[in-house]
Amino acid sequence: SVTVGWTTSNMTNIMWATFVHGSPYVYFTVFDGDPIIVTKAADSEEKGTFYEFDNNLGVWTDVAGIRNNFLITGEPGTTYSNIASHNITITNPNDGTAYTAFTVSYLPALEGIPGNDMVDYFASRARNQVSEVDINYSVDRSTNIVTISHDYLDFASNPIDTILCHSLLTLVHCRRLLTCAARVLRNPV
């Protein structure tokens, strides 16, 4: 994982963003003010919302024929305002924290709007914030087979459940597998 930070000229933290290779999630922590998600356009043929429930907001964009679907997930109690505009404000719940934390998820819908099953699946793990990745390997000397394991850890170095796909193609493939699994669960043989 890589965490990047934005600071003032006197090195005061403004915001952090953590990226994890292969993850559809980017974890943000904003230390001053309410974060604003800026899109190219207000609600139109280029931008809209598809999901608003609890601490989640789904936003789609379609610019120059390229469609993307994102899920913004805050801590419980997070609210969103100016949703139809091109400046969506995220407001921290009044829980005593001095910062706002949220996750932006890329949802790999092949076309149109993601279904609730996909949104719920990604939302359920969105705030399991990865702080570090512990990579281990072992070698079976008799066969020279190398086994590699990845453990995804939170800030307290506890293992967490997250979603990983190592490329956009794999992410789309994961989406197809989830769709097939959902069909099987709905229509068991």
Side-chain angles (χ1 to χ4, degrees), residues 33-35 75-79 90-101:
D34 289 336
E75 294 295 328
T78 296
T79 58
I90 303 172
T91 303
N92 188 42
N94 189 9
D95 62 2
T97 58
Y99 57 88
T100 301

Side-chain angles (χ1 to χ4, degrees), residues 77-143:
T78 296
T79 58
Y80 304 92
S81 56
N82 305 316
I83 293 170
S85 78
H86 69 281
N87 292 308
I88 301 170
T89 302
I90 303 172
T91 303
N92 188 42
N94 189 9
D95 62 2
T97 58
Y99 57 88
T100 301
F102 64 97
T103 303
V104 176
S105 310
Y106 173 75
L107 302 182
L110 298 178
E111 56 190 39
I113 292 174
N116 285 346
D117 290 343
M118 178 188 291
V119 173
D120 292 342
Y121 180 75
F122 279 78
S124 69
R125 292 161 177 81
R127 290 305 302 144
N128 295 349
Q129 188 168 350
V130 175
S131 173
E132 62 182 289
V133 181
D134 187 18
I135 302 171
N136 295 297
Y137 68 94
S138 64
V139 178
D140 181 335
R141 297 291 180 199
S142 64
T143 62

Side-chain angles (χ1 to χ4, degrees), residues 12-31:
T12 301
N13 287 320
I14 296 172
M15 181 171 74
W16 291 343
T18 300
F19 301 84
V20 179
H21 179 74
S23 175
Y25 300 120
V26 179
Y27 308 100
F28 291 90
T29 304
V30 178
F31 297 101

Side-chain angles (χ1 to χ4, degrees), residues 43-64:
D43 280 3
S44 62
E45 60 279 343
E46 292 184 318
K47 179 255 178 188
T49 55
F50 61 87
Y51 188 87
E52 186 177 2
F53 183 72
D54 286 339
N55 53 326
N56 298 289
L57 179 66
V59 177
W60 62 264
T61 60
D62 193 337
V63 179

